[in-house]
Amino acid sequence: MSSYFANSRDFAINKLTLNISEGDALQYLHKHSATSAMHDSEERYPPPLCHEGTRQVVISRIESWYGFAIPPEKKIMWVHAPAGYGKTAVAGTVSRNMESRTDLDFNPVGATFFFWRTSPERNSPARFIITLAYQFTISIPELAPHIEAAVKRNPMVLNKALEVQVTKLIVEPFQSLGELDNMPHRLVIIDGLDECINSDQQSRVEKLYAEDQERVQVRALELIRTLHSHNLPLCFLILSRPEPWIKQHIESRSFQSITETLDLYQVGDHVKDVEKFVRDELARIAEGLDPQPGNGKEWPREYTVKYFLWRTGGHMLYAATVIRHIDDPYDDPRQRLQDILKGEFNSTQDLTHSTPFSSLHELYRQILRSCPQANRATMGRVLEEILAAGGEFDGSVYDALNILDRLSGRPPGCGIKVLRPLHAVIRLSSNNARNLRRLRFFYHSSFAEFLRDSPDITINAQKGLSRVLGGCFKAMSAVTIDGHVREEHVNFSLRCLQLISQLALFML
């Protein structure tokens, strides 16, 4: 036994029980946490935040509900809105504002969890409770010894049912503190509940997969309700799309009396917020432009700004995507904006449904149509591969695309070249030196959904999966004792081969 654990310290196996010393208990908890789901994690840097001076009414409503000194009557708030209305930016801004308060002698942010559909660590509830508990050991120092003791008594609690973890890692440690009435109440922020999809238990049958997605999101809501039922000094801010099952559950009798609901679309002047963002960004871009010869008129003209604002429909994601598209150092922003505004436009917008709006989809089509015709076939193949295996990359976009080029038999640098015209929707300018645990290719998940679901876009993720899978097998077969192989390609192949093989079976 000692040969297998030669470098271990303070660990022992006794009757199949793992004993952990006090000094290692919190480290053990940290190891099993989804640290990338925290609002200030490296994976989320830079975190989405509201444009300066926007969403002030919404943020004020949330902070007034929380109350700081006096806990709210209803300790759960559900903020909902369709895709692209800045829910994650609101959550991030609230987190930042509260942590920056200097007039408090405690940290009002108790814990955060940002679900994300394409991250195996963040798209499942498996580490949800563990991650909250770990953050409580930091934000509520007096709670740390009790959570540490719970882990030390039974390290296997981290593998128990989530309902057991709630009791052992959070409820009982709080109760061990004794009187809780005088303890400041902390805010727990849970963003993107609709992104919790339980990916490790995907069903090959689409209907069963949809049912499992609903079930796991409702389960997460029930975990929150259980925490609330014990009268702990905690408040919960939940942000999500208004999926029917989430809405139905929150409107049920067990939730209705304890939950305040906030429709992000109806609160505040989102049209005014978008206008401030658009005018600020256009002014910034205009500062870097040379005056057009023989034209003393300033850009943009007021009628251009007003037409652009009308096209946004008060939709911040639409506005932000257009701004990124025209803000291109290799092209003329004036011409790019003119091309977008002259393009087809469908003003029929379903503001109550959680899928992206038709105008946003049409914008994505315009961006794709603006790409050079000669590059579109290769661009399509690269997008297929990103959809198939993008979630398995870390590092930078540049490195990831080079690996995909190698695995798919393209010349080095080909992927980054053909995707440059898509800089409005793909994060091509990520810091090459940044070491992210999971790479975020797309600015917003709605573009990936558009590529997968739009009937007039010929993007087939299964074909991309086949190419990447074939490249992984080829990279592994090239490994010999005296052979020269690229280490990063082999590491990627080892990491994702099993996962994408399972995904291949799911897609059959």
Side-chain angles (χ1 to χ4, degrees), residues 103-115:
D103 58 332
L104 303 173
D105 57 1
F106 68 96
N107 182 2
V109 180
T112 58
F113 199 102
F114 284 68
F115 285 104

Side-chain angles (χ1 to χ4, degrees), residues 425-438:
V425 290
I426 297 181
R427 299 175 183 273
L428 298 177
S429 59
S430 61
N431 188 339
N432 289 345
R434 191 173 304 286
N435 184 22
L436 301 180
R437 297 184 64 180
R438 279 294 181 272

Side-chain angles (χ1 to χ4, degrees), residues 404-428:
L404 287 178
D405 286 341
R406 178 72 174 253
L407 293 177
S408 301
R410 290 186 294 269
C414 181
I416 194 77
K417 178 181 178 181
V418 299
L419 291 186
R420 268 199 198 106
L422 298 181
H423 67 274
V425 290
I426 297 181
R427 299 175 183 273
L428 298 177

Side-chain angles (χ1 to χ4, degrees), residues 13 26 130 154 247 266 278 291 355 445:
I13 303 296
L26 294 185
I130 296 172
N154 182 14
K247 186 174 187 290
Q266 293 182 352
V278 166
T355 57
S445 60

Side-chain angles (χ1 to χ4, degrees), residues 249-269:
H249 201 70
I250 287 181
E251 291 178 349
S252 66
R253 181 178 301 177
S254 61
F255 261 90
Q256 197 171 39
S257 61
I258 61 175
T259 304
E260 183 168 339
T261 299
L262 192 64
D263 186 336
L264 190 59
Y265 178 74
Q266 293 182 352
V267 175
D269 191 343

